[in-house]
Amino acid sequence: MRTRVKDVGAARTRDRDAGAVRRRDRGAGAVRRRDRGAATVWVACATSVLCVVFAAVLAMGQAVVARHRAGAAADLAALAAADRALRGGAAACGAAEHVAGAQGAEVVRCAVTGEVADVTVRVRVGPYAPRVRSRAGPPVAAPPPAATRPREGAPMPPPDGG
């Protein structure tokens, strides 16, 4: 009887294999056989494209960070130079270089005219080295306020010359 059980199991295995072969020979199965591995190619291409896009986004982010660091360093250096402007151009530009160095930047140009400091700074972040110009000094005197119209019902001021 054991021999028969083994034969029945072998027969079932043969029937399963024959059914699998028959299923593969159908029309849909033939298409699958030709497309075997196509999903792998699509996934590899999509992954490559996503990696390139991710690298581009990271590079743009790094450029923006470099620009903002340079802007902040230029503003602070110009304020430091304007604060020391009355002590002379050398002292003002020295203060600008000190502050820019503390920010990890390098002063490219420093000019002091009167109380106004004009500073150009460069910051290196990765492959980027943006230059930013900043000016600082006292505000320009505001023009005197224009004559205002009186409120309704308020007495009119006397005319001039009368």
Side-chain angles (χ1 to χ4, degrees), residues 69-70 72-74 76-78 80 93-107 121-123:
R69 284 187 184 172
L76 290 173
C93 289
E97 288 176 7
H98 177 73
V99 169
Q103 298 294 316
E106 166 189 6
V107 174
V121 170
R122 177 176 54 217
V123 174

Side-chain angles (χ1 to χ4, degrees), residues 14-54:
R14 271 184 272 143
D15 288 343
R16 258 189 260 138
D17 291 343
V21 170
R22 278 188 235 124
R23 276 185 242 124
R24 276 191 235 129
D25 289 339
R26 292 182 187 162
V31 171
R32 280 190 211 127
R33 216 173 326 137
R34 284 190 306 220
D35 285 348
R36 191 170 194 124
T40 304
V41 173
W42 280 105
V43 168
C45 289
T47 302
S48 298
V49 167
L50 287 175
C51 285
V52 168
V53 168
F54 185 64

